[in-house]
Amino acid sequence: MTAVEQDLITVTIDGIEVSVPPGTLLIRAAEQVGIQIPRFCDHPLLEPAGACRQCLVEVTDMGNGRGMPKPAASCTTTVMPGMVIKTQHTSPVADKAQQGVMELLLINHPLDCPVCDKGGECPLQNQAMSNGRADSRFEEEKRTFPKPVAISSNVLLDRERCVLCQRCTRFSEEIPGDPFIDLLERGASQQIGTSEEEPFHSYFSGNTVQICPVGALTGASYRFRARPFDLRSTDSVCEHCSSGCAQRTDWRRGKITRKQAGDDPQVNEEWNCDKGRWAFKSTVQRDRLLTPLVRNDNGELVEASWPEALEAAAAGLRAAGGVGVLPGGRLTEEDAYAYAKFARVALGTNDVDYRSRPASEEEAIFLAARVAGVTPEHVSFTSLEAAPTVLLVGLEAEEEAGIVFLRLRKNSRTGKQKVLAIAPLASKGLAKLGGGTPGSGGVAAGGGTLLRCVPGAEAEVLNGLAQSEKDELAKPGSVILVGERLATSPGAYAAAAALADATGAKLAWIPRRAGEVGAVDAGALPTLLPGGRPLGAPEVAAVWGELPSAPGRDVDAIWQAAADGELGGLLVGGVDPADASDPALAAEALAKAGFVVSLEVRRSAVTEHADVVLPVAPVEEKAGRFVTWEGRRRPFVRTLETTAITDASVLDALADELDVVLGLRSVEQIRAELDALLTTRTSFAPVVLPEPPPAPELELDAEGNPVEVEVEPEPEPDGPFKLATWTELLDAGRGQDGDENLAGTAKPARAVISAATAASLGVADGEPVTVTSSRGSITVPAELGEIADDVVWVPTNARGAAVRSALASGSGAWVALTAGGVA
C-alpha cells in the first residue's frame, strides 16, 4: 500500500465504497462513483456555501456508530472514516428533504419557462422534475418584482427567479475580486442587487450569467434571441488574447447567437472574460467584405471576380519593385506561416513583420532567444498558479490577459503567492492580487506589491532590484511575466532575461493578440524563419527552396520605406494603421506606396488606399489553431459554413498567379509542412542587446588637435511629464464593434495623475485636463491615483481618446499637461 493510499478515507455511499482524500466533500465523493446529488449553490471552483440546501443527504453513520440527527448538506460536509451516506436514491428521508426544499424554492418562482432564456438548459427545471413533487400545494399569489433590473449594460436581473444560491455573489468576490453584486435585505425580502454607489463593473460579469442555475441573470445581448434547443454548438477557441480560452460557440441559421466559456482545467477552467464572451459581432457589420475589389482607371474600387482580382494583384506586385509584407498579429498559425512563406518564396524578401504595434530590434532578439519553440512545460497556467512569487513587467494582467489575472488571483488571494509589479502606478487589478509586502522602494497596493517605475526605466528597476526581491524570485517555481509594452523600453527585455538567469525564475512573454506567438513560430518576422531558425537556415531551404539573403526590415522600417518610396508595394493583412507606433507614418506609407494589396474581413483605413482588396474569412468561418503564450497549440474547426476563404488559401492562389507553387491550399497541408519545421526549445540563449552605433571619428587639425564640431542639440522634450499607457481590455478596438452592451462596460477615457500634480494644475478629480505632444493633444477627465508626480497615465485606445493617433506617442514619451481643454 502506497503512502497516498494510506492517506485516503473510505466511506460508503448508497452501498458503494469509495476512497477519497481527507477534506473531500460528500457531494464530490458521490460524483466519483457516478451518483448525482441535486444542487444549485454548489460549484467545484467556488468555496462551499450551503445556501440552497437542495443537496441534503442522510448520514446514517459518522464512523462512530452514530448517525447525524437530521439531513446534512453534502456540499459542505466532509468525509470521515467509516462514514455511511444515503442519497435520495436509497433514503426516503433524503428524498423527502430534497422534495421539501424544492417545494420552498418554487413557492415564488414564476412559471415562465416558455419565455425564460434558461428554459431548456435549466437545472431548476431538470431537478424539479427529478427531485421535486409531482404537483404543487401552493395556492397563493406569487411575489413579483419590476423587471429586469440592469446590473450593468451587459447583465440583467429578474429577481423573482432567483433562488438565492449565491453563485453570482461568490464568483464575483472570490474569482475576479469584484464584489459589487451582493445579497441585499434580510429574511423573506432578501434579494440580489448592487450598490447604488458602485455599479457592477467587472470584466468577468458574463460568468455570473453562465453559472446562474435558474435564469435570474441573463445577458442583454442574448436575452430573447433564441431557445437553447434551437441552437447548434461548436467547440471553439477565443481569438481575443493569447490565453487561448476554450469556448462553445452557439449558432442558429448561420448566425452566432452567443459564446460560452468552455471547461478546460489546464487553461481557463470554466471562466472567460466578457470580451471573449460577447465581442463576436464585428464580422457581421455592414462593412463586411464579401467580394474582391479592384481599383479602376478612375481611381474607384469596384467589385471584381476572384480571377480578375488575383490577376490584378499579381501584376501589381510583380511590377512594384520591392514589397513589404505586414500580416498583423491576429492570424492563426497556419495563416501566419502562409504570409512568411509567401514573402520569402513568392516575393523574394525578408521584409515581413507581423507586429502591427510598437516594436523594436531588441524585442526581435528576445523573441528569437526566449519565445520561439516554447512549450507549456516551460511555463503554464498550472505552474503560474503554483508559483510562490510572480513578477509582472510591462504587463497589466487584468487588462491584457484576463485569464492570467484570474489564475494569479486564485492563489495570491490566499496568501500563498506574492505578486510584484514593475509599473508606473498601482492599478485596481494589482490591488486585487494577493497580499505581498513592500520591498526596497515597493508600495503595497492593497494586494500585489508595486515597484514604482517611470515609463522607459524598466531595465534600470530590474537591474536594481533589492536582494530581498531577488530572494523571492529565487524560490523554486517563481515566474517573471513580461508584456509587449517592453518593446518601448530600451534594455528591458535583456534585463528581464538576465534576472531570470540569475535567480532561476522562469520567464514567459504574454502578448495581447491571439496570433503573436504563432506568428513567431511561423517565421513572420524579418529576422526569423519557422521554428525560430535564423535566415538562410538549410532546414527551411530544403522545404521552401532558395531563400532571400538580404536582411529584412521590421514593421516601422517597412512603413518608413514605403513612405520614402524605397518600397514600391505593400501586402497588408488585417492591420489597423491606428495600432502602429506612428499612425500618421502608416497612413502616409499607404498613400505613397505604388501598389497596395489588402487581405481583410471588413473595410478599413487600409481599404481606402488599396489597389486590390481580397476578402478573407474571420475566425468563425475557418479552421486553424492559435498558439497561446504558454506555447500550447489550440486547434479549432470551422463553426459557420460559408464561401469565405482563409488568408493562406488566398495567398496560395495569388502565388499561382505569380507562377510560384506554395502548396498551402488546405489547413492540413500547412500543418504537415509547418510541424516538420517546428522545434522544441530545451535551453535558452542570452538576450544580447544590439551593438550601439560607433562614435564618429574625431576630426583633427594639421597639428593633430581635435577640431570642434558643432553638434546638433538634443531635441527639447514636448513637456515635463512622462507618458504612461497601456491598452485596456475593453476599448475602441474594431474587434468589439457591434455590441453596445459590451461597450457600455468599458472604462472611460481619463488621465491618472497624482494629487500633487492635480493641485499644481488647479484641477479636481473629474475635471478636464489636456495631454499634449508635438503632434497633437487629447482632453480627458482627470483621475487622482497613486502615481509619480512627473508621470501621467492615459489608456492607449479608449473611445474618443486614442493615444497613438492623437499624440503619435507611446509609453515613455514626453508630454505636457494643462488644466481644461484645448483653447
Side-chain angles (χ1 to χ4, degrees):
M1 180 179 293
T2 67
V4 173
E5 289 173 332
Q6 290 176 343
D7 290 339
L8 297 180
I9 291 177
T10 300
V11 298
T12 302
I13 305 177
D14 287 348
I16 303 172
E17 280 195 355
V18 58
S19 297
V20 295
T24 300
L25 297 170
L26 299 186
I27 200 168
R28 301 282 173 266
E31 289 170 351
Q32 293 193 24
V33 292
I35 297 173
Q36 181 75 5
I37 300 173
R39 84 290 300 270
F40 295 112
C41 67
D42 175 70
H43 192 285
L45 298 179
L46 301 178
E47 296 294 331
C52 71
R53 317 306 289 177
Q54 187 60 59
C55 66
L56 295 175
V57 295
E58 183 182 10
V59 179
T60 59
D61 191 338
M62 292 187 292
N64 56 8
R66 294 177 300 185
M68 289 188 175
K70 58 183 179 180
S74 61
C75 73
T76 58
T77 306
T78 57
V79 295
M80 291 183 284
M83 181 180 275
V84 178
I85 304 104
K86 292 185 177 181
T87 73
Q88 74 277 6
H89 298 292
T90 59
S91 168
V93 173
D95 185 46
K96 181 179 180 181
Q98 291 179 9
Q99 288 188 24
V101 171
M102 180 64 69
E103 186 175 34
L104 291 172
L105 292 178
L106 293 176
I107 283 178
N108 281 306
H109 194 84
L111 300 177
D112 61 352
C113 299
V115 297
C116 176
D117 285 293
K118 202 73 172 181
E121 56 183 10
C122 176
L124 181 62
Q125 277 184 330
N126 298 336
Q127 291 170 189
M129 298 296 293
S130 64
N131 302 94
R133 299 181 185 275
D135 50 32
S136 173
R137 297 182 292 175
F138 187 75
E139 297 178 352
E140 288 75 15
E141 187 174 330
K142 290 179 179 285
R143 180 179 59 185
T144 61
F145 293 101
K147 68 178 194 177
V149 174
I151 298 293
S152 71
S153 61
N154 276 333
V155 180
L156 304 177
L157 169 65
D158 291 80
R159 286 172 288 176
E160 63 266 35
R161 292 178 186 163
C162 180
V163 293
L164 300 178
C165 69
Q166 300 177 36
R167 275 189 173 190
C168 57
T169 61
R170 287 151 57 215
F171 167 84
S172 298
E173 183 171 1
E174 294 173 19
I175 306 302
D178 298 323
F180 301 137
I181 182 172
D182 208 345
L183 288 172
L184 308 178
E185 309 297 339
R186 297 173 67 93
S189 299
Q190 194 171 50
Q191 58 186 273
I192 295 294
T194 59
S195 166
E196 294 181 1
E197 290 77 28
E198 287 280 6
F200 187 27
H201 281 171
S202 174
Y203 286 152
F204 307 95
S205 65
N207 293 290
T208 65
V209 174
Q210 185 168 338
I211 65 175
C212 177
V214 294
L217 295 174
T218 55
S221 299
Y222 175 72
R223 188 178 173 92
F224 302 140
R225 297 296 193 277
R227 309 297 296 159
F229 38 77
D230 290 331
L231 301 176
R232 299 181 65 182
S233 300
T234 304
D235 290 336
S236 55
V237 177
C238 183
E239 74 272 22
H240 287 295
C241 85
S242 63
S243 293
C245 294
Q247 288 190 319
R248 189 191 82 201
T249 299
D250 293 342
W251 52 282
R252 181 188 185 204
R253 297 176 180 172
K255 292 184 179 180
I256 295 173
T257 57
R258 67 176 178 181
K259 291 190 177 184
Q260 301 272 64
D263 183 3
D264 190 333
Q266 291 186 313
V267 181
N268 58 305
E269 299 185 308
E270 296 182 31
W271 317 124
N272 69 350
C273 71
D274 288 354
K275 186 176 181 180
R277 183 179 297 272
W278 282 310
F280 58 80
K281 296 183 179 179
S282 65
T283 60
V284 294
Q285 302 305 298
R286 292 188 176 184
D287 56 5
R288 170 75 186 269
L289 292 164
L290 300 174
T291 306
L293 304 175
V294 175
R295 198 169 295 279
N296 62 18
D297 294 338
N298 296 325
E300 301 168 328
L301 279 176
V302 296
E303 292 187 357
S305 67
W306 273 102
E308 291 170 337
L310 292 171
E311 182 181 358
L317 293 175
R318 192 181 287 116
V323 178
V325 181
L326 299 169
R330 302 190 182 280
L331 298 172
T332 62
E333 187 182 28
E334 296 88 349
D335 286 342
Y337 179 79
Y339 278 99
K341 186 175 183 180
F342 185 88
R344 274 67 179 234
V345 177
L347 299 178
T349 181
N350 285 313
D351 289 341
V352 53
D353 196 339
Y354 77 87
R355 295 173 294 178
S356 57
R357 51 171 176 78
S360 67
E361 182 183 358
E362 180 188 341
E363 182 185 52
I365 295 171
F366 174 82
L367 296 179
R370 296 298 174 115
V371 175
V374 298
T375 64
E377 286 72 33
H378 176 57
V379 182
S380 67
F381 278 106
T382 303
S383 61
L384 181 62
E385 180 183 323
T389 304
V390 177
L391 173 64
L392 308 177
V393 193
L395 175 69
E396 180 58 35
E398 187 179 32
E399 303 288 355
E400 299 174 282
I403 298 302
V404 172
F405 167 78
L406 293 188
R407 282 300 181 102
L408 293 175
R409 176 168 164 76
K410 183 177 180 181
N411 211 26
S412 66
R413 76 183 183 91
T414 64
K416 297 177 182 178
Q417 182 181 85
K418 292 183 179 180
V419 179
L420 313 174
I422 296 177
L425 77 159
S427 68
K428 292 180 180 178
L430 179 62
K432 292 183 281 188
L433 293 179
T437 55
S440 174
V443 178
T449 298
L450 174 70
L451 306 176
R452 199 182 303 283
C453 175
V454 173
E458 283 82 0
E460 180 181 341
V461 176
L462 283 164
N463 293 330
L465 281 184
Q467 188 59 46
S468 60
E469 288 143 2
K470 293 179 180 178
D471 290 343
E472 290 287 343
L473 291 171
K475 293 178 180 178
S478 292
V479 176
I480 300 172
L481 299 180
V482 298
E484 64 185 44
R485 195 161 72 249
L486 290 192
T488 63
S489 182
Y493 279 124
L499 179 63
D501 294 340
T503 60
K506 292 184 176 182
L507 177 66
W509 177 66
I510 302 184
R512 285 197 316 114
R513 292 174 173 84
E516 295 223 4
V517 179
V520 173
D521 281 348
L525 279 169
T527 54
L528 286 185
L529 293 179
R533 292 182 170 87
L535 299 182
E539 302 93 336
V540 180
V543 178
W544 287 7
E546 185 178 354
L547 297 172
S549 57
R553 299 176 175 91
D554 68 11
V555 57
D556 291 328
I558 290 173
W559 287 128
Q560 190 66 60
D564 294 342
E566 297 174 11
L567 281 176
L570 291 172
L571 175 65
V572 185
V575 170
D576 188 345
D579 291 334
S581 57
D582 187 345
L585 174 63
E588 181 184 0
L590 290 167
K592 291 185 176 179
F595 194 80
V596 178
V597 178
S598 179
L599 280 68
E600 52 190 331
V601 176
R602 298 167 53 199
R603 283 181 175 267
S604 70
V606 180
T607 313
E608 306 311 312
H609 300 286
D611 296 280
V612 178
V613 180
L614 303 172
V616 292
V619 170
E620 296 87 357
E621 298 175 31
K622 63 183 177 184
R625 70 187 183 196
F626 290 120
V627 184
T628 72
W629 66 266
E630 302 171 275
R632 188 187 304 274
R633 284 179 163 75
R634 303 285 277 173
F636 57 90
V637 299
R638 179 184 292 187
T639 297
L640 302 178
E641 293 291 336
T642 70
T643 58
I645 307 173
T646 65
D647 293 66
S649 295
V650 171
L651 292 172
D652 188 79
L654 183 54
D656 286 345
E657 287 291 332
L658 292 168
D659 300 321
V660 174
V661 178
L662 286 189
L664 305 179
R665 191 58 57 92
S666 69
V667 168
E668 291 73 23
Q669 282 180 299
I670 299 170
R671 284 183 186 169
E673 186 174 304
L674 174 58
D675 289 348
L677 293 173
L678 291 175
T679 58
T680 298
R681 185 178 294 280
T682 55
S683 61
F684 294 92
V687 179
V688 181
L689 292 176
E691 290 289 333
E697 293 186 9
L698 290 176
E699 186 178 337
L700 304 178
D701 60 17
E703 298 177 358
N705 298 316
V707 176
E708 285 192 19
V709 179
E710 189 173 334
V711 179
E712 267 189 50
E714 288 290 325
E716 288 292 326
D718 288 349
F721 292 89
K722 273 292 184 81
L723 176 65
T725 182
W726 56 67
T727 302
E728 295 185 310
L729 184 74
L730 301 178
D731 59 9
R734 298 187 80 220
Q736 300 160 59
D737 289 351
D739 196 319
E740 293 306 313
N741 296 316
L742 179 63
T745 61
K747 296 174 184 176
R750 62 209 184 277
V752 178
I753 56 178
S754 70
T757 299
S760 67
L761 295 175
V763 298
D765 192 63
E767 293 182 346
V769 293
T770 297
V771 183
T772 305
S773 74
S774 60
R775 304 279 289 276
S777 64
I778 55 174
T779 300
V780 291
E783 179 181 299
L784 304 189
E786 296 292 329
I787 192 170
D789 294 340
D790 58 348
V791 177
V792 55
W793 180 90
V794 291
T796 301
N797 195 30
R799 294 195 174 210
V803 167
R804 290 178 193 149
S805 297
L807 304 180
S809 300
S811 185
W814 290 103
V815 294
L817 189 63
T818 54
V822 177

